[in-house]
Amino acid sequence: MNTRTRRVGLASLAVLGVAALSGCAGAAATGAAPAAGLTDLPDDQNVEIVFESYNLGNAGIWSDTINTLLDEFMTEHPNITVVGQPSDSASGTAASVQKQVLAGDPPDVAQLTFNELDFAATTLGAQDLTALVGEEGLEEQFGGEYPYHERARVLADWDGETYGLPYVFSTPILWINEAQFTAAGLDPATVDLSTWDAVAAAAEQITTSTGAPSLSVTCVVTGGSWCMQGLFRSNDAQVLSDDRATIGFGSDAAVDTVQVFRDMFDDGILTNEDSTSQYEAFAQGKTAIHVNTSALQGAFMQGSQAGGWTLDARPLPAFDDQPVVPTNSGSFLAMFASDPAKQAAAWELMQWMTSPRAYELISTEIGYLPLRTALTEEGGPLHEWVEQNPLVKPNLAQLDDLEPWVSYPGDSYAQVDQVLATAIEESIFYGADAQTR
């Protein structure tokens, strides 16, 4: 169940500027020296670099896939040794890197989530890749036979410069357990799930059949801010003004968005569980409808096969007739190496981990989007896989309408996220009025 913390009102936050919530920025990290251009690494020079990744902290398909890619990289680059290092899950990815930066020994490459982009570029000391490898080098990286999707390639840009390579991410997917639909008298092939009203109607029928809440939405609990931003945007609300000066999640549209899910909870169809409990329950066949990242596709497929039920995927529902605006989860690769040889090795690794070969494994084994979407087109190495695995199609389609996961300015970006998560949980699950609380 969710942990209740202090109540903070959505409406009251609308009038606050970012500075009031984010605090004063700390001194910029000094772990990365100003980049003066990338040098070549001779084939006979041995280098060891550290790659920190939160995927390495997740057992099973996540860590197995990343370790396979690291092994293949070292086979192709025998003079580069990569030490894979899981992020400290207790402190978070950026906080884990910050500890090492302050100790004078940061990882050479780190996987950071997109809400940490502002902090990485302005405080943590991530290398400016535009200065390091140049525009030509970035064009070569993002192009090639299977170029990056145009909306994906700019996600790690900051103030006109590129501070990372977009790496793995997804859009929020509406996952369904077809067996529960059928048992409740709903045809999963024809049931309308295109709007939240339609989803609520289906969930109500299933809940009547099972006697338990049938819908879970990770966006509305702590840890789900990346997809909650998409729900806000899909209902014409914002969490941050375009000039990045004012918090926007106390607007009427934002309050209305939260109220939609409050009504579902009050009607007994929405579960009140933390995000881990939600996805575990869905994988075990206990709930019928679940909104979460496509990165759980592999886990849900395993669960459905073990439980003998059929898994399906739908796009994020709309609020009435408004266009759906999905936001992305996931991460980018940032460089913190300052030694020229390590920088050269780190850049080789970053290119490999975002290569067509990498996305072949990352997409088929884990379920993340192949950011090089041409891989899925006819003649591409992932075309047949997509045709055989239609669960990935809603995720690919939503990429065309993607808007980036907003990162708050200032060192206290995580606290701003927590303020919002607390207000949402209190309003939906614990009776607080979204307008006044």
Side-chain angles (χ1 to χ4, degrees):
M1 304 292 285
N2 293 317
T3 301
R4 297 180 64 179
T5 52
R6 58 193 175 90
R7 295 186 177 185
V8 181
L10 292 172
S12 64
L13 294 171
V15 299
L16 294 179
V18 168
L21 287 173
S22 63
C24 298
T30 58
L38 199 67
T39 60
D40 292 330
L41 181 68
D43 292 339
D44 60 354
Q45 183 175 352
N46 295 322
V47 177
E48 180 178 285
I49 57 175
V50 174
F51 172 48
E52 177 156 331
S53 166
Y54 61 77
N55 286 139
L56 289 172
N58 299 325
I61 55 176
W62 293 275
S63 58
D64 290 348
T65 302
I66 303 308
N67 280 321
T68 295
L69 287 170
L70 295 181
D71 288 343
E72 290 186 8
F73 174 80
M74 287 186 283
T75 298
E76 293 290 326
H77 301 80
N79 62 322
I80 302 175
T81 299
V82 182
V83 177
Q85 175 174 286
S87 295
D88 180 356
S89 59
S91 61
T93 52
S96 174
V97 172
Q98 185 178 35
K99 291 178 184 177
Q100 297 166 78
V101 168
L102 294 174
D105 188 26
D108 300 289
V109 179
Q111 177 187 9
L112 300 175
T113 51
F114 284 105
N115 65 317
E116 298 165 334
L117 176 59
D118 180 292
F119 184 65
T122 61
T123 300
L124 200 54
Q127 289 282 2
D128 178 353
L129 298 180
T130 304
L132 188 63
V133 304
E135 294 286 357
E136 185 176 343
L138 290 173
E139 284 298 321
E140 182 178 343
Q141 155 63 18
F142 291 128
E145 183 179 5
Y146 304 108
Y148 265 60
H149 190 284
E150 61 180 5
R151 287 185 180 264
R153 63 180 294 171
V154 298
L155 290 177
D157 285 4
W158 192 250
D159 197 23
E161 305 292 305
T162 298
Y163 281 89
L165 299 184
Y167 176 42
V168 294
F169 71 76
S170 69
T171 60
I173 295 296
L174 186 81
W175 299 100
I176 69 170
N177 178 332
E178 290 193 352
Q180 289 207 27
F181 277 74
T182 301
L186 295 168
D187 183 350
T190 59
V191 64
D192 180 16
L193 298 173
S194 62
T195 67
W196 284 109
D197 285 344
V199 169
E204 184 175 5
Q205 187 164 333
I206 297 170
T207 294
T208 299
S209 172
T210 63
S214 57
L215 169 66
S216 56
V217 181
T218 56
C219 313
V220 301
V221 299
T222 298
S225 64
W226 69 274
C227 64
M228 191 65 202
Q229 289 189 14
L231 297 184
F232 281 140
R233 292 294 300 116
S234 298
N235 202 26
D236 200 29
Q238 287 182 294
V239 296
L240 190 65
S241 61
D242 290 338
D243 63 3
R244 298 182 56 77
T246 306
I247 293 296
F249 48 71
S251 66
D252 289 344
V255 171
D256 178 68
T257 305
V258 172
Q259 188 64 47
V260 168
F261 297 96
R262 165 69 175 271
D263 292 343
M264 292 182 187
F265 179 71
D266 288 346
D267 290 341
I269 62 176
L270 179 68
T271 67
N272 178 12
E273 299 173 299
D274 62 49
S275 59
T276 299
S277 298
Q278 284 189 36
Y279 89 72
E280 288 179 345
F282 181 76
Q284 294 165 8
K286 296 178 180 178
T287 45
I289 309 171
H290 180 56
V291 179
N292 210 329
T293 170
S294 74
L296 292 170
Q297 177 179 310
F300 292 157
M301 290 176 66
Q302 291 176 2
S304 66
Q305 291 165 4
W309 51 275
T310 301
L311 175 71
D312 197 10
R314 303 289 181 87
L316 193 66
F319 291 88
D320 298 323
D321 58 353
Q322 298 187 84
V324 175
V325 185
T327 44
N328 60 282
S329 68
S331 60
F332 62 99
L333 299 180
M335 184 191 299
F336 294 92
S338 55
D339 174 79
K342 288 181 178 288
Q343 285 183 339
W347 179 241
E348 290 291 338
L349 176 64
M350 293 170 72
Q351 292 179 95
W352 168 254
M353 297 303 288
T354 56
S355 67
R357 168 57 181 166
Y359 285 120
E360 285 183 52
L361 284 183
I362 287 169
S363 299
T364 58
E365 296 297 323
I366 301 177
Y368 284 119
L369 271 170
L371 304 191
R372 298 181 182 274
T373 48
L375 291 165
T376 68
E377 297 171 359
E378 189 168 359
L382 288 178
H383 176 70
E384 184 176 348
W385 174 76
V386 170
E387 294 305 307
Q388 294 174 351
N389 296 274
L391 293 176
V392 75
K393 289 185 177 181
N395 202 21
L396 284 168
Q398 289 187 147
L399 185 54
D400 292 336
D401 299 312
L402 184 78
E403 287 192 8
W405 179 8
V406 173
S407 64
Y408 300 107
D411 290 4
S412 298
Y413 62 93
Q415 285 83 347
V416 178
D417 252 347
Q418 185 57 55
V419 165
L420 176 57
T422 299
I424 291 171
E425 289 186 358
E426 291 288 339
S427 298
I428 293 175
F429 301 115
Y430 303 112
D433 181 5
Q435 184 65 48
T436 59
R437 291 287 184 177

